[in-house]
């Protein structure tokens, strides 16, 4: 994978084996499987489901498309969260920002039309992100607390301004573009997902900004001493995460043809799980957007398989939690 | 023992070995780091372990501490063969370590740190804090040093951290203490106190393994020396039988001429206008109205005691701490520094004193660390061109002879001295016009130190203005054209190099004559 950035996890200190110059075993041991655990895990889980649930239509193209579709919004949110976590911060407000954006977009569309709707959705991200970013970078309040507060505030505002009522969107063009329609044979939602993952990968791995995000997350003081404006980077990362979340909210609105304060509720936890599953370091300094994509797909895959297997919601939750803990434990970096 | 050791210092004669390591070999990822090393320390001995950066000193000691497993070889402690597969094993066997990177919890008190994991418990299983304090006090009394066990570690200076580390090891009945470059962050009088403490410890039969790149220290406290070169043992000898030249040659692998002597340089001094000018710079309690100038091509040494404001001044110059009044003028233009990026833009580079905290991102690769200040030069459109980055890094690694198998490896895995070289290379890669260095040779071996000093001279010859902070007077005097002495945040004296006859003179001035 050329998309990973930062160092791979090293062998644990006590177990660095002596490796013959170019022997096959040496090569195998040198290949660091922990780094690829998410891909390995994805393939393993997929195969298990394919074998056990094949007769229930797991491998049908329709079902596979469904898995992707369900992963789409989470993975878009998770792309933003990847930047935040790589920078050694956290954003708990993404789910309710998505909800608020869906509501504002819907209300603006019905009053002033599609353009106003899109702008309103983005404005939610910009405003919330700027508030989060300012509090985190200027006042040095831990992002955990800032975004925990924002999680409640954004959800509350969304519920308040709508009086808890769903806001239907009757603009077909909007619904078509934002996740409801297809681009050719491909569901629009997947195009959006591919776009964000591609952009996120390039920005994190290949731009100055991305490198500075990783440096700030790896050692803020050393980054500052190297001329990185770490305050600004922290601000930008919080802003980016909220704006990306607001786009996800607009996609919810388009696909479900309405804005509702519940859209996105709880997505912050799925997104964080996807990011960590994908191999981004919870302590900052190392991040991979492709890993995040597979983390989201993995979660969606598990959900889908467990439903097909006929488990009850309560049982699904237990199994899903166990699989996530197992995957993170296996991929644990030293 | 062998004939070369027959005349070992008499106080060691007839003593048993406290530690005996035989035929130790160790590789990391197929790269040999130690090959068939024998190492022996007797009871009550101070044994110096010397060698160039990356020679394997720290690795050998980490094997003795149970941090790394060994590939081949055996270890005996007090004559008993032992398997050290964890730090706990080593501790139980009586091996104590004064970590180079301290292993204390800053938010706990001295006593709490010392008793960490072995807290005295009362009947209900609750910690008896008063007993812990009493025990800590007893250890300090034995060491004959004055430390308040109730003080919070984070509030104390590094010298006290070190004493706490030593007390922690002793309270766990350590009989062998490993000290890896213990004086790197100590002031002179603190180092003196440490040496006296080491003397007292050896009286009580405790052995000390002492790693240092400073020759005077080794001669002062060690009984014998073992030199490693490229992971092999080169020699073990009593210090009475080995000359400094022999040691240097053993470490570096070749003779060094004219080391550490001042070379009269064709300084630009008082020609033309100053590149860097400080006018009444005031910022915080330790920078109180400092004024001096550095001319093009000039090397100015900044001397002073710990706490005299040298590091604080460097931070202000680099825009890390705000200036309260006065001005910093670069080539006639007053700077308004909002942060390091402004200083960098003005052509200033700072090599900070603490490479782990300030200089490097330890988990990132050598290449990423080297190119972090150079990202602007790696751009191709909006993207970074990694091929350019790789070429830049390779150039710097070659120029500063960083010993690194693969530039894509994390910096954390380099030896301490090589990490320092990465910090220096990283900054010189930006081609600064003004170079500020805070203890740039901390932890580098003698050969490299000479290379670094030579590099500094040649950069100055090309017109760079250099401000160098150093607590090592020999190196300060080796390169400085002028020395500014700070005291209590003020300029105490400014002297031309020619006015300073020797180190002792400088030391007297620094101490306030
Ligand atoms: N965990 C590790 N993984 C891989 N290589 C390592 C590791 N630790 C050390 N090395 C390598 O082993 C060699 C010896 O390192 P070591 O730290 O023992 O040197 P040293 O003699 O202590 O040097 P210095 O004087 O610079 O501290 C170096 O080349 C270093 O890069
Ligand atoms: Mg070392």
């Amino acid at each position: 994978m050329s998309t990973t950035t930062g160092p791979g996890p090293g062998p644990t200190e006590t177990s660095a084996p002596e490796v013959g110059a170019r022997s096959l075993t040496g090569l195998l041991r040198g290949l660091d499987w922990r780094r690829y655990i998410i891909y390995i895990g994805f393939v393993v889980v997929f195969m298990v489901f394919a074998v056990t649930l094949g007769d229930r239509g797991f491998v049908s193209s329709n079902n596979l498309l469904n898995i992707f579709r369900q992963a789409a919004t989470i993975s878009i949110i998770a792309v933003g969260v990847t930047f935040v976590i790589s920078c050694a911060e956290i954003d708990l407000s993404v789910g309710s920002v998505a909800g608020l954006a869906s509501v504002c977009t819907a209300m603006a569309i019905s009053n002033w039309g599609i353009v106003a709707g899109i702008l309103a959705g983005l404005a939610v991200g910009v405003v919330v992100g700027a508030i989060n970013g300012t509090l985190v970078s200027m006042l040095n309040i831990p992002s955990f607390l800032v975004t925990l507060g924002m999680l409640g505030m954004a959800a509350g505002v969304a519920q308040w301004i709508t009086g808890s009522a769903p806001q239907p969107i009757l603009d077909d063009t909007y619904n078509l573009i934002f996740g409801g329609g297809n681009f050719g044979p491909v569901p629009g939602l997947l195009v959006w997902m591919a776009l964000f993952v591609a952009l996120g990968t390039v920005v994190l791995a290949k731009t100055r900004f991305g490198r500075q995000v990783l440096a700030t997350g790896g050692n803020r003081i050393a980054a500052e001493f190297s001329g990185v404006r770490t305050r600004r980077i922290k601000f930008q990362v919080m802003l980016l995460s909220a704006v990306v979340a607001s786009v996800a909210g607009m996609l919810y609105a388009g696909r479900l043809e309405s804005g509702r304060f519940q859209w996105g509720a709880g997505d912050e936890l799925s997104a964080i799980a996807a990011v960590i599953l994908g191999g981004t370091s919870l302590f900052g300094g190392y991040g991979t957007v492709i890993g995040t994509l597979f983390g989201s797909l993995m979660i969606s895959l598990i959900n889908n398989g467990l439903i097909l297997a006929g488990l009850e919601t309560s049982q699904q939750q237990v199994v899903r939690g166990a699989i996530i803990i197992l995957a993170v434990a296996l991929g644990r970096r030293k | 023992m062998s004939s070369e050791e027959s005349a070992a210092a008499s106080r060691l004669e007839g003593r048993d070995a406290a530690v005996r390591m035989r035929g130790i070999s160790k590789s990391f990822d197929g790269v040999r780091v130690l090959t068939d090393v024998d190492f022996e320390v007797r009871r009550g001995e101070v044994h110096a372990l010397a060698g160039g950066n990356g020679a394997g000193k720290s690795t050998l000691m980490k094997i003795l501490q149970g941090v790394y497993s060994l590939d081949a070889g055996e270890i005996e402690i007090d004559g008993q063969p032992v398997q050290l597969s964890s730090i706990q094993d080593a501790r139980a066997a009586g091996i104590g370590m004064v970590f180079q990177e301290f292993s204390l919890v800053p938010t706990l008190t001295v006593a709490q740190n010392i008793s960490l994991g072995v807290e005295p418990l009362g009947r209900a299983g609750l910690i008896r804090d008063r007993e812990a304090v009493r025990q800590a006090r007893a250890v300090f009394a034995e060491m004959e040093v004055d430390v308040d066990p109730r003080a919070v570690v984070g509030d104390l200076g590094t010298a006290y951290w070190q004493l706490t580390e030593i007390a922690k090891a002793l309270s766990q009945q350590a009989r062998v203490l490993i000290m890896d470059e213990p004086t790197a962050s100590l002031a002179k009088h603190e180092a003196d106190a440490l040496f006296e403490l080491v003397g007292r410890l050896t009286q009580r039969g405790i052995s000390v393994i002492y790693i240092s790149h400073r020759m005077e220290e080794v001669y002062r406290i060690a009984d014998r020396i073992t030199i490693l070169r490229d992971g092999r043992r080169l020699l073990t000898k009593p210090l009475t039988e080995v000359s400094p030249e022999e040691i240097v040659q053993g470490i570096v692998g070749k003779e060094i001429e004219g080391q550490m002597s001042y070379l009269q340089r064709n300084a630009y001094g008082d020609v033309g206008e100053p590149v860097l000018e400080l006018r009444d710079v005031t910022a915080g309690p330790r920078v109180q109205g400092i004024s001096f100038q550095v001319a093009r091509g000039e090397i100015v040494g900044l001397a002073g005691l710990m706490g005299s404001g040298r590091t604080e001044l460097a931070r202000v110059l680099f825009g890390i701490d705000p200036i309260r009044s006065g001005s910093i003028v670069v080539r006639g233009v007053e700077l308004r520094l909002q942060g390091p990026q402004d200083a960098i833009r003005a052509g200033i580079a700072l090599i900070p004193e603490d490479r782990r905290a300030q200089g490097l991102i330890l988990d990132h690769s050598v290449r990423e660390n080297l190119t972090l200040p150079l990202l602007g030069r790696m751009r191709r459109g909006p993207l970074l061109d990694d091929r350019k980055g790789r070429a830049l890094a390779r150039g710097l690694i070659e120029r500063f002879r960083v010993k690194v198998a693969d530039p894509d490896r994390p910096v954390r895995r380099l030896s301490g001295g090589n990490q320092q070289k990465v910090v220096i290379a990283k900054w010189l890669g930006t081609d600064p016009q003004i170079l500020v260095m805070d203890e740039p040779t901390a932890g580098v071996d003698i050969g490299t130190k000479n290379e670094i000093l030579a590099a500094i001279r040649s950069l100055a010859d090309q017109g760079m203005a250099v401000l160098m902070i150093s607590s090592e007077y020999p190196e300060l005097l080796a390169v400085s054209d002028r020395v500014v002495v700070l005291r209590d945040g003020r300029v105490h004296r400014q002297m031309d190099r020619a006015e300073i006859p020797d180190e002792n003179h400088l030391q007297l001035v620094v101490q306030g004559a």
Side-chain angles (χ1 to χ4, degrees):
Chain A
M1 276 274 133
S2 61
T3 45
T4 48
T5 42
T12 50
E13 293 202 323
T14 39
S15 67
E18 181 160 346
V19 178
R22 276 265 158 192
S23 68
L24 185 63
T25 47
L27 223 74
L28 280 178
R29 276 201 213 136
L31 203 150
D32 205 346
W33 60 274
R34 277 172 194 278
R35 188 170 185 166
Y36 304 110
I37 184 73
I38 181 63
Y39 311 111
I40 299 170
F42 184 82
V43 171
V44 169
V45 171
F46 187 89
M47 306 251 261
V48 169
F49 283 165
V51 171
T52 57
L53 302 172
D55 51 345
R56 300 191 200 184
F58 176 78
V59 284
S60 72
S61 60
N62 222 345
N63 190 51
L64 296 183
L65 217 55
N66 238 338
I67 292 175
F68 270 96
R69 206 177 283 134
Q70 259 147 25
T73 21
I74 292 291
S75 61
I76 290 171
I77 293 178
V79 167
V81 176
T82 305
F83 280 80
V84 176
I85 294 183
S86 300
C87 197
E89 298 290 346
I90 196 86
D91 190 346
L92 298 174
S93 65
V94 282
S96 43
V97 167
L100 182 59
S102 78
V103 163
C104 290
T105 301
M107 292 170 85
I109 288 177
S110 58
N111 286 321
W112 304 293
I114 179 169
V115 176
I118 294 171
L119 291 179
L122 289 175
V124 167
V126 171
V127 169
V128 173
I131 295 173
N132 284 346
T134 305
L135 293 175
V136 169
S137 68
M138 296 302 157
L139 302 186
N140 290 321
I141 307 176
S143 51
F144 184 88
L145 296 177
V146 169
T147 59
L148 184 64
M150 191 52 84
L151 169 114
M153 283 170 61
V157 169
Q159 194 169 355
W160 189 7
I161 57 177
T162 57
S164 305
Q167 306 293 311
I169 300 176
L170 305 174
D171 187 317
D172 288 336
T173 324
Y174 178 86
N175 292 337
L176 201 70
I177 299 175
F178 282 86
N182 292 349
F183 294 129
V186 192
L189 220 45
L190 294 198
V191 176
W192 281 97
M193 175 172 88
L195 184 74
F196 272 81
V197 168
L199 267 177
T201 300
V202 171
V203 171
L204 187 60
K206 289 281 166 199
T207 67
R208 195 173 183 187
F209 169 69
R211 202 60 65 82
Q212 294 188 337
V213 167
L214 294 170
T216 305
N219 180 348
R220 184 174 184 179
I221 297 173
E224 181 78 32
F225 271 69
S226 305
V228 177
R229 296 175 195 247
T230 58
R231 264 174 209 281
R232 186 193 284 185
I233 293 288
K234 298 238 165 196
F235 177 87
Q236 288 170 332
V237 153
M238 298 310 292
L239 182 67
L240 179 140
S241 164
V243 170
V244 171
S246 71
V247 174
M250 289 153 74
L251 292 171
Y252 272 122
R255 179 160 60 104
L256 302 165
E257 303 187 355
S258 65
R260 265 185 111 140
F261 73 91
Q262 293 103 324
W263 294 164
D267 278 5
E268 58 278 349
L269 295 184
S270 308
I272 292 169
V275 170
I276 302 303
L277 265 179
T280 293
S281 164
L282 191 50
F283 307 108
Y286 174 82
T288 152
V289 173
I290 295 285
T292 294
L293 169 66
F294 276 82
S296 325
L297 286 175
M298 176 91 147
I299 292 175
S300 173
L301 181 72
I302 293 170
N303 285 342
N304 180 278
L306 296 182
I307 292 170
L308 283 188
L311 266 60
E312 291 176 24
T313 326
S314 53
Q315 294 168 322
Q316 286 173 29
Q317 285 180 343
V318 175
V319 176
R320 186 173 37 199
I323 293 180
I324 290 177
I325 292 175
L326 183 73
V328 172
L330 287 176
R332 194 173 32 128
R333 310 160 65 77
K334 182 188 71 184
Chain B
M1 289 252 87
S2 66
S3 63
E4 64 175 19
E5 292 172 28
S6 57
S10 57
R11 49 179 293 265
L12 288 181
E13 221 144 313
R15 300 237 185 155
D16 293 335
V19 172
R20 188 173 281 147
M21 303 175 82
R22 267 201 225 109
I24 305 290
S25 295
K26 176 73 185 167
S27 308
F28 289 111
D29 312 326
V31 180
R32 275 253 163 162
V33 172
L34 291 173
T35 312
D36 199 19
V37 173
D38 295 340
F39 184 65
E40 182 221 62
V41 185
R42 300 198 198 143
R43 287 214 184 105
E45 174 183 13
V46 180
H47 197 123
L49 186 56
N53 294 132
K57 305 179 293 293
S58 298
T59 303
L60 186 66
M61 290 302 106
K62 282 182 181 162
I63 288 174
L64 187 55
Q65 287 165 69
V67 175
Y68 294 149
S69 61
L70 39 74
D71 297 345
E74 51 203 45
I75 304 175
E76 281 176 18
I77 292 177
D78 293 330
Q80 300 298 313
V82 287
Q83 292 285 337
L84 305 174
S85 45
S86 70
I87 296 186
Q88 286 71 28
D89 287 356
R91 205 172 274 160
I95 307 289
M97 173 77 190
V98 179
F99 284 90
Q100 209 171 351
E101 54 274 35
F102 299 102
S103 66
L104 301 177
V105 184
T107 50
L108 297 182
T109 66
V110 170
Q112 284 168 341
N113 266 292
I114 290 175
S115 62
L116 198 62
V118 291
E119 290 90 350
L121 298 181
R123 248 171 293 133
L126 301 180
I127 296 174
R128 293 163 61 208
D129 264 318
R130 224 171 296 152
E131 175 63 14
V133 169
R134 201 192 56 74
Q135 288 174 357
R137 212 166 260 145
V139 180
F140 286 124
E142 253 180 87
M143 288 163 61
E144 297 174 39
V145 293
D146 185 23
V147 180
D148 177 9
R150 291 171 196 275
V152 173
V153 164
D155 297 341
L156 301 173
T158 38
Y160 287 97
W161 285 55
Q162 211 159 48
L163 291 174
T164 306
E165 286 263 5
I166 295 173
K168 189 172 163 186
L170 292 179
S171 75
Q172 289 162 7
Q173 313 304 324
R175 279 159 295 133
V176 179
L177 274 181
I178 303 168
M179 298 189 179
D180 198 344
E181 302 182 39
T183 55
S185 49
L186 295 189
K188 182 124 183 19
H189 67 277
E190 291 167 339
D192 288 341
L194 179 69
F195 298 149
E196 278 164 31
L197 172 60
V198 166
R200 287 197 294 275
L201 293 176
T202 54
Q203 298 284 313
R204 294 177 30 213
I206 290 172
S207 314
V208 174
I209 302 172
Y210 192 86
I211 301 181
S212 174
H213 291 291
R214 299 186 184 172
M215 198 74 74
E216 331 76 80
E217 295 181 355
V218 168
Y219 271 98
R220 178 158 167 197
I221 67 166
D223 300 300
R224 288 191 299 165
I225 185 169
T226 291
I227 299 180
L228 296 183
R229 192 198 295 163
D230 294 334
R232 291 171 192 275
R233 190 185 68 144
L234 194 69
L235 60 81
T236 299
K237 277 188 179 180
L239 279 154
T240 46
E241 290 174 17
V242 58
S243 69
E245 291 75 26
E246 203 177 335
I247 294 179
V248 173
Q249 193 174 350
I251 291 172
V252 183
K254 59 173 193 243
E255 261 176 271
I256 299 182
E257 332 147 20
Q259 44 150 340
M260 290 304 191
S261 55
Y262 177 65
L263 299 180
Q264 188 66 46
R265 292 188 321 108
N266 186 13
Y268 296 70
D270 45 62
V271 195
E273 67 183 38
V275 177
L276 174 68
E277 191 178 354
L278 283 70
R279 295 185 190 145
D280 246 342
V281 173
T282 301
R286 286 179 177 172
V287 181
Q288 293 286 333
I290 293 177
S291 305
F292 63 87
Q293 307 181 339
V294 186
R296 185 176 136 78
E298 190 182 30
I299 304 175
V300 172
L302 204 53
L305 295 173
M306 275 222 159
S308 59
R310 295 168 301 168
T311 294
E312 288 77 2
L313 179 64
R315 291 172 63 98
V316 172
L317 278 179
F318 199 56
I320 297 161
D321 295 338
I323 184 169
R324 190 135 33 81
S325 65
S327 53
I328 300 166
V329 179
V330 169
R331 260 186 244 89
V333 182
E334 184 177 341
L335 296 187
R336 267 175 217 296
L337 299 174
Q338 302 288 339
Q341 62 286 342
D342 293 334
I344 293 168
R345 203 170 306 127
I348 302 177
L350 170 70
I351 293 174
E353 65 178 335
D354 184 343
R355 63 171 168 264
R356 286 165 194 281
Q358 303 160 339
L360 296 169
I361 299 168
L362 288 173
D363 286 321
H364 286 191
S365 69
V366 174
R367 174 172 58 85
E368 285 168 315
N369 271 283
L370 284 173
T371 52
L372 185 58
L374 304 176
L375 294 179
R377 275 194 230 163
M378 292 163 52
R379 280 208 270 192
R380 198 179 47 190
L383 302 185
L384 292 178
D385 185 346
D386 270 329
R387 238 175 320 142
K388 276 188 208 159
R390 225 161 250 135
L392 279 170
R394 210 175 315 115
L396 289 169
I397 286 169
E398 270 164 30
R399 193 164 137 208
F400 293 94
R401 288 187 231 175
V402 185
K403 194 178 165 196
V404 48
D406 174 1
D408 283 324
R409 278 217 197 171
V411 167
R412 186 185 289 288
R413 295 209 231 148
L414 297 192
S415 75
N418 278 300
Q419 292 181 0
Q420 184 66 16
K421 286 197 206 174
V422 172
V423 177
I424 294 176
K426 165 180 163 183
W427 279 113
L428 293 183
T430 64
D431 296 326
Q433 276 127 28
I434 299 167
L435 179 62
V436 183
M437 296 183 288
D438 198 349
E439 308 284 358
T441 64
V444 304
D445 66 43
I446 309 172
T448 313
K449 184 180 286 189
N450 277 287
E451 283 170 26
I452 291 175
L453 296 182
I456 292 170
R457 285 192 193 107
S458 90
L459 290 167
D461 285 341
Q462 292 158 34
M464 194 184 290
V466 180
L467 184 61
M468 175 161 117
I469 298 173
S470 174
S471 302
E472 280 189 65
Y473 300 135
E475 81 174 24
L476 201 67
L477 291 178
V479 294
S480 305
D481 303 312
R482 209 147 51 82
V483 176
V484 173
V485 179
L486 294 189
R487 282 204 93 197
D488 300 328
R490 295 190 166 80
V491 175
H492 175 61
R493 278 279 291 281
Q494 288 202 43
M495 297 176 286
D496 275 336
R497 176 64 180 85
E499 294 173 50
I500 309 171
D502 56 23
E503 292 163 45
N504 294 336
H505 180 87
L506 179 58
Q507 188 173 343
L508 285 177
V509 176
V510 166
Q511 279 165 352

